[in-house]
Amino acid sequence: MQLSAFHTTSVEKNGDAGEHFLDCTMVKFINVNKAFNAHCKPLININLEVSRGEVLVICGPSGAGKSTLLRTINRLERIDSGEIIIDGKNLYDHKTDLTALRAEIGMVFQQFNLYPHKTALENITLASRKVRGLSRTHADEKALHLLERVGLAHKSTSFPVHLSGGEQQRVAIARGLALDPKIMLFDEPTSSLDPELTSEVLDVILKLAEEGMTMMIVTHELGFAQKVAQRIVFMDSGKIMETGTTKKMLVNPEHARTREFINNILHI
Ligand SMILES: Nc1ncnc2c1ncn2[C@@H]1O[C@H](COP(=O)(O)OP(=O)(O)OP(=O)(O)O)[C@@H](O)[C@H]1O
Ligand SMILES: [Mg+2]
């Protein structure tokens, strides 16, 4: 279960000091700021740590900065100040190999963003052939295995237009897993799906959590958050307003604004 993975620490080598130390942090934001312009500051002094094997849910109103936060992790958005450390590597250190680092981060968006002219299998093999240089046979084998994991082995030759929204999103998740990422980021993965299709996608994410995958998930599915997440972060106007264990955030959040937001969602 995810809890055992969450508590697992790995011994890593500190190259500079030549010492071993215990590091269970996978993602760390230190005083991160980002502005699009003078009036729009989607990230204000963000400090956040995500542990190896942890599942963190991020919620908050529209425009709070949730997507921007996720997008800074693979440098789809640059930050203005602060530091982001992924698995011990500073995202902005000139020695960091950005392509290699990005390969370790799987991202799944609200809109599935599959290539319409490629089959489910081809959508998944593309990155492993290009980035990892796998042969077609090896990439196909791996993609089929991933399709099995998301319950879609029988749809390998289907084009996105012939897949339901839930199936397309599960292919997108399989694609996100193709490079064996250390962390998966989900930006409202079910918000464009109807409830029945939502549950099939959430089940796949739940399975990943049980396998110990580190995940940051922007979602307003708080029932799902309760099942999958150790902690919830509440963002508003570019700031992290409150972070706490899932139970505390859902039952007894400290801030009135968090309580109001969560109550509104729970009573929709
Ligand atoms: N490329 C951009 N250029 C200028 N402003 C942007 C850009 N991307 C986002 N913004 C603005 O930054 C703020 C934060 O946007 P972001 O997409 O991170 O919010 P969000 O919390 O994900 O909202 P939603 O729940 O609607 O997805 C918003 O005011 C948005 O309009
Ligand atoms: Mg968003």
Side-chain angles (χ1 to χ4, degrees):
M1 290 296 288
Q2 73 262 32
L3 277 181
S4 58
F6 178 42
H7 290 301
T8 301
T9 53
S10 71
V11 178
E12 294 195 333
K13 191 151 193 273
N14 176 339
D16 293 332
E19 291 167 358
H20 286 84
F21 65 99
L22 287 173
D23 184 7
C24 63
T25 305
M26 181 62 93
V27 178
K28 190 168 184 173
F29 282 70
I30 307 166
N31 297 329
V32 170
N33 287 280
K34 173 166 184 72
F36 284 114
N37 54 56
H39 309 289
C40 182
K41 295 182 177 157
L43 300 179
I44 301 171
N45 207 23
I46 299 292
N47 287 289
L48 181 64
E49 276 191 42
V50 184
S51 298
R52 223 170 277 276
E54 182 177 13
V55 179
L56 184 84
V57 157
I58 302 162
C59 65
S62 184
K66 308 178 299 292
S67 296
T68 307
L69 180 85
L70 285 193
R71 288 164 60 82
T72 58
I73 294 175
N74 51 11
R75 268 181 57 177
L76 284 173
E77 297 288 357
R78 285 189 71 89
I79 59 173
D80 299 330
S81 63
E83 286 179 56
I84 300 176
I85 319 281
I86 312 287
D87 198 19
K89 296 190 192 85
N90 191 320
L91 207 48
Y92 288 89
D93 185 332
H94 65 277
K95 283 183 277 180
T96 299
D97 178 346
L98 189 58
T99 310
L101 194 66
R102 277 187 174 148
E104 294 178 344
I105 302 165
M107 184 145 188
V108 175
F109 302 90
Q110 177 178 357
Q111 298 303 335
F112 329 118
N113 295 343
L114 297 176
Y115 292 108
H117 58 290
K118 295 204 177 287
T119 64
L121 191 89
E122 288 163 349
N123 264 283
I124 300 167
T125 55
L126 206 65
S128 37
R129 294 193 65 199
K130 248 182 153 171
V131 180
R132 295 271 190 254
L134 295 191
S135 68
R136 179 181 289 273
T137 316
H138 191 174
D140 282 0
E141 247 172 48
K142 186 161 188 196
L144 263 178
H145 176 66
L146 288 169
L147 281 172
E148 249 167 53
R149 271 174 81 183
V150 300
L152 288 174
H154 58 299
K155 297 282 185 180
S156 64
T157 56
S158 300
F159 287 91
V161 69
H162 297 132
L163 298 172
S164 72
E167 288 169 342
Q168 288 185 56
Q169 191 59 304
R170 285 187 282 154
V171 172
I173 293 173
R175 180 181 58 182
L177 293 167
L179 298 178
D180 303 313
K182 290 182 176 165
I183 175 165
M184 287 288 284
L185 310 175
F186 293 88
D187 193 354
E188 302 206 41
T190 59
S191 57
S192 60
L193 301 175
D194 63 39
E196 211 171 318
L197 300 181
T198 293
S199 68
E200 66 186 38
V201 170
L202 294 183
D203 284 348
V204 167
I205 301 176
L206 202 57
K207 213 165 81 184
L208 286 177
E210 287 170 358
E211 289 164 8
M213 177 66 78
T214 310
M215 296 193 276
M216 294 173 71
I217 309 171
V218 174
T219 182
H220 294 141
E221 301 275 349
L222 295 182
F224 168 67
Q226 199 167 14
K227 281 194 218 160
V228 79
Q230 279 87 32
R231 285 187 302 148
I232 296 180
V233 166
F234 173 64
M235 286 185 77
D236 194 9
S237 309
K239 293 184 187 150
I240 291 183
M241 305 297 286
E242 187 168 353
T243 306
T245 63
T246 304
K247 189 172 175 197
K248 175 172 172 284
M249 292 292 279
L250 295 181
V251 176
N252 189 22
E254 256 167 45
H255 295 286
R257 180 70 187 98
T258 319
R259 201 169 306 130
E260 178 192 36
F261 180 82
I262 285 176
N263 281 342
N264 279 344
I265 291 192
L266 291 176
H267 294 112
I268 279 175

